[in-house]
Amino acid sequence: MGRVVIDVMPKPEILDPQGKAVVGALARLGFSEFDGARQGKRFELEVEGEVDQAVLDRAREAAVTLLSNPVIEDVVAVRAASNQE
Amino acid sequence: MRIGVVTFPGTLDDRDALRAIRIAGGTPVSLWHGDDDIQGVDAVVLPGGFSYGDYLRCGAIARFAPVMNTIAKLAGPPDQVAPGLPVLGICNGFQVLTESHLLPGALVRNEKQQFVCRDQKLRIERTSTSWTNAYSQNDEIVVPLKNGEGGFVADEPTLDRLEGEGRVVARYLEGNPNGSYRDIAGISNASGTVVGLMPHPEHATEALYGPEGTDGCDGLPFFTSALQGVLSA
């Protein structure tokens, strides 16, 4: 069984309130070296058989059709999961 | 005049929308998300709630519901000048309209990350729509607002175009509840048939039930507009 990992992040110019909350909490806990945080989403799609280029292409299509909203989010990675993941 | 109200799994405000239509003098028709038939209604309301639990993103899954395929086809693309099917999206319905690309922009989590529930003052800035023609330009109204992801965002050129073409339907007054760019509470498509609005006019259509300090009916003209607007179109 193969697995495709898709990472979706809020666009840089869009305010990310979750990331803002995270960086504020980090500072309160003493992790003051981190000046910013942005929070995204990771999807894992499973397929029977190998993850080849055709599967990755379909996964990208799914990512831009449903998994992300291009107005506010970027699909930053579509890749086959490694065995360790 | 028959106006449909779509119920998705997770919709909460469909009953209020149906009642608002009845109070306005229209005939409310319940529509089901799984049907692609909209029963020949003259206009459609996408009510508030949490369609499909709002898993993934608000409105993202509802966009692909069979009923939305039909509605999107009849409503036409956002820049189409010829009037299509009048559609009012309230709150979650607004989110469904942007996810469906029937309106530009997107709705994101409130700036302060808190769910906001309050009576909200608005200014009606576009009255040449199917849903606001019973108001006068710059009317100030108070209707309930309740959302967690009500921040309207779009890129600068899109915002400039919406402003330039007079497609900002309503703007927040006396405080922006959710960080919406340029205090935008509602927008329309080019023809004025499709309107998305974050606050809830359907909760202010009966005397004594609407916000305090008003006659409680500030939201009713949204629904009486639809009756006039469809006839004159």
Side-chain angles (χ1 to χ4, degrees), chain A residues 17 21 41 66-69, chain B residues 56-57 64 99 106 111 113 153:
Chain A
K41 290 176 189 157
L66 176 66
L67 305 182
S68 71
N69 175 348
Chain B
L56 186 60
R57 286 183 315 280
F64 293 99
E99 284 285 342
E111 191 175 17
Q113 304 166 88
V153 298

Side-chain angles (χ1 to χ4, degrees), chain B residues 4-5 67 90 108 141 169 177 180 186 211 217 221:
Chain B
V5 177
V67 75
I90 303 167
V108 300
I141 66 169
V169 172
S180 288
C217 301

Side-chain angles (χ1 to χ4, degrees), chain B residues 7-194:
Chain B
T7 300
F8 299 98
T11 294
L12 297 175
D13 296 327
D14 43 348
R15 294 277 160 178
D16 299 60
L18 290 162
R19 190 167 66 238
I21 291 161
R22 197 176 61 241
I23 293 167
T27 304
V29 178
S30 289
L31 301 176
W32 185 240
H33 69 106
D35 290 338
D36 54 15
D37 177 14
I38 63 164
Q39 301 178 38
V41 293
D42 304 295
V44 168
V45 175
L46 304 177
F50 300 85
S51 56
Y52 297 87
D54 275 350
Y55 297 122
L56 186 60
R57 286 183 315 280
C58 298
I61 299 176
R63 175 210 160 177
F64 293 99
V67 75
M68 283 310 302
N69 292 334
T70 305
I71 290 169
K73 244 178 255 148
L74 295 171
D79 294 324
Q80 175 181 302
V81 179
L85 178 75
V87 183
L88 172 65
I90 303 167
C91 199
N92 193 225
F94 189 6
Q95 293 160 342
V96 173
L97 286 176
T98 59
E99 284 285 342
S100 304
H101 311 306
L102 294 177
L103 290 175
L107 283 310
V108 300
R109 191 171 293 251
N110 292 352
E111 191 175 17
K112 293 187 177 136
Q113 304 166 88
Q114 281 163 345
F115 193 95
V116 176
C117 181
R118 72 184 198 199
D119 295 336
Q120 178 67 48
K121 194 168 193 179
L122 303 175
R123 184 171 55 233
I124 303 295
E125 297 197 0
R126 181 178 186 187
T127 55
S128 59
T129 81
S130 301
W131 303 96
T132 53
N133 58 67
Y135 288 105
S136 301
Q137 184 76 25
N138 295 329
D139 266 357
E140 293 184 4
I141 66 169
V142 181
V143 298
L145 171 139
K146 50 188 175 99
N147 65 68
E149 302 195 28
F152 178 74
V153 298
D155 58 24
E156 284 295 312
T158 302
L159 291 168
D160 287 342
R161 198 159 50 83
L162 286 171
E163 302 260 17
E165 294 174 3
R167 286 165 59 177
V168 175
V169 172
R171 224 182 287 262
Y172 296 117
L173 294 181
E174 297 177 4
N176 182 332
N178 43 34
S180 288
Y181 289 178
R182 304 193 191 181
D183 298 335
I184 290 173
I187 57 170
S188 70
N189 65 353
S191 68
T193 48
V194 177

